[in-house]
């Protein structure tokens, strides 16, 4: 597809130094929460991204068109009027969800996709699907309509080692699912393993994956460096360095079936720094700076625009954004804590020095 700013002019030398200019990216996986926290976090996503796939794991979850529509309005109301941002809403699949609800939601444009959480896999997933076979009529309807299924790919059995849960999911759930529904459009969300990279590379063009900034920047050693670091704990948990390397290779390769999804998942500082700290990394304040750091380290900045701004919309069948964003090669120290409308939240890379600074959207 032709583009106004091609990959070759991603890096620009200006009087103010080196800049990255990109077609405005989209975030294909984000948690914006609700209530006061939504007021505090929505802006961070909306300033860097033109659109975002909004996760439905509220409590109670978003299972109905009407609930998605009012949640969408609350997101827009949490943003300054001058900002142009499109929340793309998703339905939370339960054992009981009706194919007709998804069909109505997808055909009317309220639902862009549906999210599969295996029951109890992660935060607010208690209402998730207990047996994927039980929702086959719903998935068949989605396949027929071309509605993407967004998958949290982890088995939940307590006896499966937490570091193996994604690889086992591929064999036990993903492969049989795609054998039964070979045309189903699937986004394997926040992949964390070499096995997931290889699975997506060898699957059909109806299968893609999102990759987070944190799974590109850290591995499980970082989670335990000098002590246990609750702000680096998320699900699927970060894996060993070989997997991190496979993810970095996949993200920066230019393969159109890997694209940006931050999985930014804010939790109050007190819920993370806790005897039972919850899973989720809040990266949206510095998401593009982190991705740019990784692409630069991998000597792949010319592929950043495809990963951040083109592969996602092409997979979803949506138009590319026309505006652009700029990052400057200027150091910044990330805040220690962010006040999200009264809730202190520790961002990813807190107190760390980053080489890039987001300047804005043009
Ligand atoms: O770490 C995570 N946090 N993983 C998820 O799948 C959910 C998310 C959240 O909602 O906090
Ligand atoms: Zn998520």
């Amino acid at each position: 597809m032709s583009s106004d700013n091609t990959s070759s002019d991603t890096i620009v030398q200006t009087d103010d130094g080196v800049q990255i200019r990109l077609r405005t990216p989209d975030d294909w996986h984000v948690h914006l929460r609700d209530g006061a926290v939504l007021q505090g976090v929505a802006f961070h996503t909306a300033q860097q991204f033109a659109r975002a796939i909004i996760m439905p794991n509220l409590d109670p979850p978003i299972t109905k068109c009407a609930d998605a529509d009012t949640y969408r309005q609350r997101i827009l109301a949490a943003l300054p009027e001058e900002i142009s941002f499109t929340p793309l809403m998703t339905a939370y699949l339960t054992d009981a969800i009706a194919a007709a609800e998804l069909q109505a939601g997808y055909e009317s444009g309220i639902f862009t996709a549906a999210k599969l959480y295996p029951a109890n896999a992660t935060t607010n997933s208690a209402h998730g699907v207990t047996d994927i076979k039980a929702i086959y009529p719903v998935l068949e309807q989605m396949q027929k309509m071309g509605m993407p299924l967004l998958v949290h790919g982890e088995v939940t059995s307590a006896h499966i080692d937490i570091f193996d849960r994604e690889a086992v999911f591929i064999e036990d759930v993903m492969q049989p699912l795609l054998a039964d529904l070979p045309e189903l459009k699937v986004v394997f969300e926040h992949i964390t393993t070499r096995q997931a990279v290889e699975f997506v590379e060898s699957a059909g063009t109806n299968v893609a994956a999102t990759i987070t900034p944190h799974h590109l920047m850290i591995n499980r050693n970082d989670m335990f460096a000098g002590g246990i670091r609750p702000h680096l704990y998320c699900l699927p948990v970060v894996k060993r360095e070989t997997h991190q390397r496979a993810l970095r290779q996949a993200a920066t390769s230019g393969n159109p079936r890997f694209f940006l999804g931050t999985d930014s998942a804010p939790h109050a500082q007190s819920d993370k720094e806790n005897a039972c700290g919850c899973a989720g990394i809040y990266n949206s304040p510095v998401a593009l700076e982190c991705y740019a750091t990784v692409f630069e380290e991998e000597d792949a900045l010319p592929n950043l625009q495809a990963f951040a701004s083109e592969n996602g919309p092409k997979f979803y069948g949506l138009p590319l954004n026309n505006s652009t964003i700029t990052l400057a090669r200027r150091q910044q120290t990330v805040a220690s804590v962010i006040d999200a409308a009264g809730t202190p939240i520790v961002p990813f890379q807190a107190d760390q020095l980053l080489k890039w600074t987001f300047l804005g959207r043009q």
Side-chain angles (χ1 to χ4, degrees):
M1 188 176 290
S2 70
S3 60
D4 295 330
N5 57 327
T6 59
S7 302
S8 58
D9 46 50
T10 294
I11 305 145
V12 191
Q13 184 69 51
T14 73
D15 292 346
D16 290 334
V18 177
Q19 296 187 346
I20 293 175
R21 292 206 192 134
L22 299 178
R23 184 188 286 287
T24 303
D26 304 299
D27 184 351
W28 299 98
H29 183 131
V30 69
H31 300 264
L32 292 185
R33 312 304 191 203
D34 210 344
V37 171
L38 167 65
Q39 306 294 320
V41 304
F43 177 75
H44 293 293
T45 292
Q47 69 169 348
Q48 295 204 341
F49 301 102
R51 296 170 288 202
I53 285 277
I54 312 298
M55 285 297 127
N57 63 331
L58 303 183
D59 186 14
I62 302 290
T63 56
K64 299 253 186 302
C65 304
D67 297 339
D69 197 42
T70 52
Y71 183 31
R72 191 181 63 81
Q73 288 170 30
R74 291 197 297 280
I75 294 168
L76 292 174
L79 294 168
E81 255 180 33
E82 63 280 6
I83 211 157
S84 156
F85 176 72
T86 305
L88 302 171
M89 309 311 290
T90 58
Y92 179 113
L93 296 177
T94 64
D95 287 346
I97 200 156
E101 187 75 16
L102 284 187
Q103 184 175 2
Y106 186 65
E107 288 176 352
S108 64
I110 292 174
F111 289 138
T112 298
K115 178 72 191 278
L116 172 70
Y117 286 105
N120 303 315
T122 186
T123 308
N124 289 343
S125 62
H127 303 275
V129 171
T130 54
D131 174 11
I132 196 160
K133 291 239 150 102
I135 62 158
Y136 263 27
V138 170
L139 300 179
E140 277 157 11
Q141 177 64 35
M142 290 175 65
Q143 175 174 249
K144 203 152 94 193
M145 299 189 295
M147 181 181 191
L149 175 72
L150 315 183
V151 179
H152 182 111
E154 287 192 287
V155 292
T156 52
S157 335
H159 72 278
I160 305 282
D161 189 282
I162 190 167
F163 291 97
D164 296 336
R165 287 180 188 172
E166 183 173 283
V168 173
F169 184 90
I170 294 170
E171 289 189 5
D172 287 5
V173 183
M174 204 64 131
Q175 281 168 344
L177 172 68
L178 282 160
D180 290 342
L181 298 164
E183 307 288 316
L184 185 64
K185 230 172 164 171
V186 171
V187 184
F188 198 160
E189 297 290 342
H190 42 55
I191 58 169
T192 64
T193 57
R194 175 181 54 76
Q195 289 91 332
V197 168
E198 288 169 0
F199 173 76
V200 172
E201 284 172 345
S202 60
T205 54
N206 55 315
V207 178
T210 53
I211 307 184
T212 76
H214 43 280
H215 289 101
L216 293 172
M217 288 180 81
I218 60 172
N219 60 55
R220 67 191 196 180
N221 278 350
D222 298 294
M223 208 171 43
F224 301 109
I228 191 155
R229 295 185 176 267
H231 298 292
L232 301 186
Y233 173 58
C234 64
L235 288 171
V237 68
V238 288
K239 309 297 192 297
R240 59 169 71 237
E241 192 190 350
T242 48
H243 297 289
Q244 182 194 6
R245 272 201 241 115
L247 296 172
R248 287 172 74 104
Q249 209 284 324
T252 59
S253 66
N255 183 327
R257 283 184 299 115
F258 296 104
F259 46 83
L260 186 160
T262 64
D263 198 16
S264 184
H267 289 278
Q269 183 172 14
S270 55
D271 291 337
K272 297 282 292 173
E273 297 171 12
N274 191 292
C276 186
C278 44
I281 294 179
Y282 179 48
N283 59 37
S284 62
V286 288
L288 289 178
E289 291 93 321
C290 290
Y291 284 115
T293 301
V294 170
F295 275 69
E296 185 178 38
E297 286 169 358
E298 296 295 322
D299 206 12
L301 278 176
N303 286 344
L304 179 58
Q305 177 163 274
F307 176 80
S309 319
E310 295 172 354
N311 298 346
K314 285 178 187 170
F315 185 82
Y316 274 84
L318 293 169
L320 303 187
N321 297 316
N322 284 321
S323 58
T324 58
I325 59 96
T326 305
L327 294 158
R329 203 170 195 300
R330 186 185 304 158
Q331 287 191 339
Q332 62 162 312
T333 304
V334 181
S336 312
V337 64
I338 284 174
D339 174 11
T343 303
I345 303 179
V346 176
F348 185 50
Q349 298 289 298
D351 299 319
Q352 302 296 305
L353 203 60
L354 289 177
K355 284 186 186 149
W356 292 95
T357 299
F358 178 77
L359 293 188
R361 206 191 293 185
Q362 294 76 41

